[in-house]
Amino acid sequence: MALVRAQDATSSGNFPCRYEVFLSFRGEDTRKTFTDHLYNAFVNSGIQTFRDDDELERGEDIKPGLQKAIEESRSSVIVFSKDYASSKWCLDELVLILERKRISGHVVLPVFYDVDPSDVGKQTGSLEKAFAGHQKNRSLNKDKVNVWKAALTEAADLAGMVLQNEADGHESKFINKIVKKIEGKLRRNPLSVAPYLIGMDHRVKEINLWLQDGSSDVGILVVYGIGGIG
């Protein structure tokens, strides 16, 4: 599986994170269109983003690498499209994302792409057809199907963004709004700074000696620190 990412890994908040955004989407619906444009918009904004770029047919169970990517992401953007619920893989991803949200404060932003949020929450419309197929599948446990339904209902109740008609909805503007929304949500999380700044002891001693010096000479004091702090 090829992992597409914006930049190298970083850490933020109370949990070690490699990515700022995990993209969940139905590949057959939006991989080469909306989701590709959204991913590139995140990258161009400097947002570290995980996207599963595996075009091969997926198995029944979610791969450990995807679960790890969710756990190592600060947020998830879920692109609900008309056929999202027809993918067992996508539904398993959704369950993992919401579990992560409950235990770690993981930010979740649902994006409803040409699908009504009420259809997602109530499993009506195109989602009704998808679940009719799941319920006929004898290899699927009924409890698992119910977990998927509950996850969709929970996600639909979250504050999300809706684009129902891409022809009239100015898709590029909509994508920019998503990027701004994620930027705003991620900035609210406090920046984690180490309690001790490595290599600063020598600098502090020099400053103290300079302050204690009785010389009347005037000089320029330059203090180097971590960029963006102070």
Side-chain angles (χ1 to χ4, degrees), residues 180-193:
K180 295 297 183 184
K181 177 74 74 173
I182 285 294
E183 286 178 336
K185 287 181 176 292
L186 294 182
R187 283 196 189 115
R188 291 178 192 145
N189 291 347
L191 179 65
S192 178
V193 180

Side-chain angles (χ1 to χ4, degrees), residues 53-67:
D53 225 20
D54 191 355
E55 294 284 358
L56 300 177
E57 184 178 356
R58 294 166 165 181
E60 290 294 323
D61 298 322
I62 191 168
K63 294 180 181 178
L66 281 182
Q67 182 173 352

Side-chain angles (χ1 to χ4, degrees), residues 78-119:
I78 308 167
V79 181
F80 287 113
S81 52
K82 288 185 176 180
D83 287 331
Y84 183 93
S86 65
S87 168
K88 296 185 289 292
W89 185 286
C90 286
L91 293 170
D92 282 342
E93 270 186 7
L94 175 62
V95 171
L96 289 173
I97 288 169
L98 293 176
E99 286 178 355
R100 187 64 177 165
K101 176 181 180 294
R102 284 189 286 270
I103 66 174
S104 72
H106 184 87
V107 174
V108 177
L109 178 65
V111 173
F112 301 94
Y113 181 76
D114 202 20
V115 64
D116 195 293
S118 64
D119 285 341

Side-chain angles (χ1 to χ4, degrees), residues 3 15 18 23 32 40 42 50 69 86 96 122 151 162 170 176 190 193 211 219:
L3 306 185
F15 296 87
R18 297 181 64 189
L23 272 179
K32 296 180 179 179
N40 286 322
F42 280 137
F50 176 95
S86 65
L96 289 173
K122 299 176 182 178
V162 184
H170 303 289
N176 288 335
V193 180
L211 291 173

